[in-house]
Amino acid sequence: LLPPLSFAGIIDAVTAPDRAVTARTVRERAREELTREIVAAARRQLAVEGAAALSLRAVARELGLVSSAVYRYVASRDELLTLLIIEAYDTLGGAVEGAEEAAPRGDLAARWQAACAGFRRWSLDHPHEFALVFGSPVPGYAAPQDTIGPASRVPRVLIGLLAAAADAGLVDHEAARDLPADVRRALSPVRAGVPDTIPDDLLARGLLVWTLLVGAVSFELFGHTHNVVDDEPDLRTAFFTDQMRRAAELVGLA
Amino acid sequence: LLPPLSFAGIIDAVTAPDRAVTARTVRERAREELTREIVAAARRQLAVEGAAALSLRAVARELGLVSSAVYRYVASRDELLTLLIIEAYDTLGGAVEGAEEAAPRGDLAARWQAACAGFRRWSLDHPHEFALVFGSPVPGYAAPQDTIGPASRVPRVLIGLLAAAADAGLVDHEAARDLPADVRRALSPVRAGVPDTIPDDLLARGLLVWTLLVGAVSFELFGHTHNVVDDEPDLRTAFFTDQMRRAAELVGLA
DNA sequence: TGTACATCAGTGAACGCGCGTTCACTGATGTAC
DNA sequence: TGTACATCAGTGAACGCGCGTTCACTGATGTAC
């Protein structure tokens, strides 16, 4: 009874709101618009209550629809969650890219700090989205393939910086050791997606630094810096910046 | 109508199961035993389904009780969650302490790696407990004061190692810079609980390394190493060990 | 040692709530001739 | 350009589920005299 829902079509409708107005029918336009409104309502609920409280019925209520009507647009609660995850990855990616691109091109340290600050800013502004993406997995939910593209936008920014640092000769190749064989094998999946100009050792350090960025923001958002770091926002920022500077030293970005 | 429930009493009953048999009444003993069984059943549910699926009714079912009977022992679902959080922190703390203490005393690098390996092992064996403690906060739940003691057991192990490294002169004091004033102020809460032999710079590095440990395990457990690190368990372990060795270099524990 | 009263454990029924999902349906929009 | 049929959006009712929590109650255990 359900119409053949194209998942990719939904994503298009959601992520490309302003494409040139082609000769689409009224129905097509209404469908795209309502799909976007459903996702927007879901996003608002996520922002306020968190992923656990997200329900199709509440989305329907907010839009003045009967709950079953939502099923014309979204196959299930899980699919809606997937859309939100994709959107979160995407806006986070955009925020980090934007911040990094606004920094002076020649100053790698500044570009790194800008990226980190952008990451943290977005996360503090969207705590539930952050939790959805980097926190505990939603029980019974398995992320589909569609998320891996958007998920890699931020890492890709970091990879760009690492490559730039390597190209600029900023990485201490004396200190760069050869990795043990098993560690090199462990890294083979990432290795495939990263330019050869980044040596294995730098790649391993890059993962360390990426872990650190996400870990630091997790700690802050999930309350693990209580009684550790002062609560005053400026001091928190100073601490984070200091931590990220230390991280940057590991990969020639300080 | 509810009896005056002493929270500390419950914790005693749960965490000190084998205290000397004093002249307690049958009722008292039955109460302690059932309280322990309730927490044990809740722990099993947590292990299987995760915190979101934890319900008082399910606990009651498992013990063959009527759901309202559980309220004789536990004031609410939140209190039960708190008990589980405390227990998770405690068993994690015990696991890390045990692992660290089993390493040769004179070998700080080995003690560090043992602590990290113990942390990761416990986490892989108790993924939902890890998520409960280090993952997204449970919505609508605020951790009470009772958790902060157990929560600091693992950090305390790391502090011990940092102090030992400092005492042994393993930390490069040339490289140790003076911290900017705002970063020093940001650190004042931790500072109060850490021996003076650990300088500010080392303390800041210590937090970096602690973030890294938790972050690395989070990434692995929450699926963020998919398509990054090979799935084979031995290779994952090799990668983790390598990352922790790099972390150790920052604090003179390599 | 035995009895009277107080305390406590566990029962069973109920309240009120919200959820995801299905299904047969009406009425509006789109399309082919 | 108009009509006949096909497609689609949204409705309303229902199914079946589980949850946390309250409350008046029975019967067992504990205690004071």
Side-chain angles (χ1 to χ4, degrees):
Chain A
L1 282 190
L2 288 177
L5 267 183
S6 153
F7 201 71
I10 294 180
I11 294 171
D12 284 351
V14 172
T15 58
D18 283 328
R19 86 152 80 133
V21 177
T22 61
R24 284 170 300 142
T25 63
V26 173
R27 259 196 201 156
E28 278 174 317
R29 278 193 237 170
R31 168 165 263 275
E32 289 187 13
E33 194 171 326
L34 232 179
T35 305
R36 245 178 285 125
E37 277 182 40
I38 285 172
V39 177
R43 187 195 318 126
R44 280 191 295 273
Q45 280 184 31
L46 172 64
V48 175
E49 304 276 5
L54 175 70
S55 89
L56 286 185
R57 294 187 103 109
V59 167
R61 265 196 304 275
E62 182 172 334
L63 298 179
L65 287 175
V66 100
S67 67
S68 54
V70 177
Y71 284 84
R72 292 274 163 206
Y73 299 90
V74 145
S76 65
R77 184 178 179 276
D78 271 10
E79 188 184 289
L80 190 54
L81 257 186
T82 300
L83 291 173
L84 290 174
I85 289 173
I86 290 171
E87 198 183 67
Y89 272 126
D90 248 328
T91 62
L92 170 60
V96 172
E97 288 165 6
E100 193 270 338
E101 283 160 13
R105 294 290 81 194
D107 188 343
L108 285 179
R111 285 165 63 187
W112 161 252
Q113 282 289 359
C116 291
F119 186 97
R120 176 168 175 263
R121 185 72 269 148
W122 183 91
S123 303
L124 294 182
D125 290 342
H126 306 82
H128 288 115
E129 277 93 334
F130 177 90
L132 184 61
V133 156
F134 291 108
S136 336
V138 178
Y141 173 83
Q145 287 298 314
D146 308 76
T147 59
I148 72 175
S152 60
R153 282 177 72 172
V154 176
R156 209 148 293 283
V157 172
L158 303 191
I159 289 168
L161 287 170
L162 292 183
D167 291 351
L170 295 173
V171 180
D172 185 0
H173 280 285
E174 309 282 328
R177 67 198 98 216
D178 279 337
L179 300 191
D182 51 358
V183 177
R184 240 189 6 257
R185 261 199 298 148
L187 287 178
S188 59
V190 236
R191 185 70 271 182
V194 161
D196 288 338
T197 52
I198 297 177
D200 283 341
D201 185 70
L202 182 58
L203 181 55
R205 288 159 182 262
L207 289 173
L208 203 75
V209 151
W210 166 231
T211 305
L212 211 38
L213 170 58
V214 178
V217 173
S218 285
F219 264 14
E220 184 171 355
L221 272 179
F222 296 168
H224 289 277
T225 53
H226 265 173
N227 304 317
V228 176
V229 178
D230 195 290
D231 281 336
E232 210 276 304
D234 287 348
L235 295 183
R236 285 185 176 276
T237 302
F239 173 73
F240 176 79
T241 306
D242 184 67
Q243 295 279 93
M244 290 305 111
R245 187 182 43 69
R246 292 169 191 275
E249 286 176 3
L250 293 167
V251 288
L253 289 172
Chain B
L1 283 191
L2 286 177
L5 267 183
S6 154
F7 200 71
I10 294 180
I11 295 172
D12 285 350
V14 171
T15 58
D18 283 329
R19 88 153 79 133
V21 176
T22 62
R24 285 170 298 142
T25 62
V26 173
R27 258 195 200 156
E28 278 176 316
R29 279 193 236 168
R31 169 165 262 275
E32 289 187 13
E33 194 172 325
L34 231 179
T35 305
R36 244 177 287 125
E37 276 182 40
I38 286 172
V39 176
R43 187 195 318 128
R44 280 191 293 274
Q45 280 185 30
L46 173 64
V48 175
E49 303 277 4
L54 174 71
S55 90
L56 287 185
R57 292 188 104 108
V59 166
R61 265 197 303 276
E62 183 172 333
L63 299 180
L65 287 175
V66 102
S67 66
S68 53
V70 177
Y71 284 84
R72 292 274 164 205
Y73 299 90
V74 146
S76 67
R77 183 179 180 275
D78 272 10
E79 188 183 289
L80 191 53
L81 257 184
T82 300
L83 291 173
L84 290 174
I85 290 174
I86 290 172
E87 198 182 69
Y89 272 127
D90 249 328
T91 61
L92 170 60
V96 172
E97 288 164 6
E100 194 270 338
E101 284 161 12
R105 294 291 80 194
D107 188 343
L108 286 178
R111 285 165 64 187
W112 161 253
Q113 283 289 359
C116 292
F119 186 97
R120 176 169 175 261
R121 184 72 269 146
W122 183 91
S123 304
L124 294 182
D125 289 343
H126 306 83
H128 287 116
E129 278 93 333
F130 178 89
L132 184 61
V133 156
F134 292 109
S136 335
V138 177
Y141 171 85
Q145 287 298 315
D146 308 77
T147 59
I148 72 176
S152 60
R153 282 178 72 171
V154 176
R156 209 148 292 283
V157 172
L158 303 191
I159 289 168
L161 287 171
L162 293 183
D167 291 350
L170 294 173
V171 180
D172 186 358
H173 280 284
E174 309 283 327
R177 66 198 98 217
D178 279 336
L179 300 191
D182 52 357
V183 177
R184 238 186 11 254
R185 261 198 298 147
L187 287 179
S188 58
V190 234
R191 187 68 270 183
V194 162
D196 288 338
T197 52
I198 298 177
D200 283 341
D201 185 70
L202 182 58
L203 182 55
R205 289 160 182 261
L207 288 173
L208 203 75
V209 151
W210 165 232
T211 305
L212 211 38
L213 170 58
V214 178
V217 174
S218 284
F219 264 13
E220 184 171 355
L221 272 179
F222 297 167
H224 289 276
T225 52
H226 265 173
N227 303 318
V228 176
V229 179
D230 196 290
D231 280 337
E232 210 275 304
D234 287 348
L235 295 183
R236 285 184 175 275
T237 301
F239 172 73
F240 176 79
T241 306
D242 185 67
Q243 294 279 93
M244 290 305 111
R245 187 182 43 68
R246 293 168 190 276
E249 285 177 2
L250 294 167
V251 288
L253 288 172

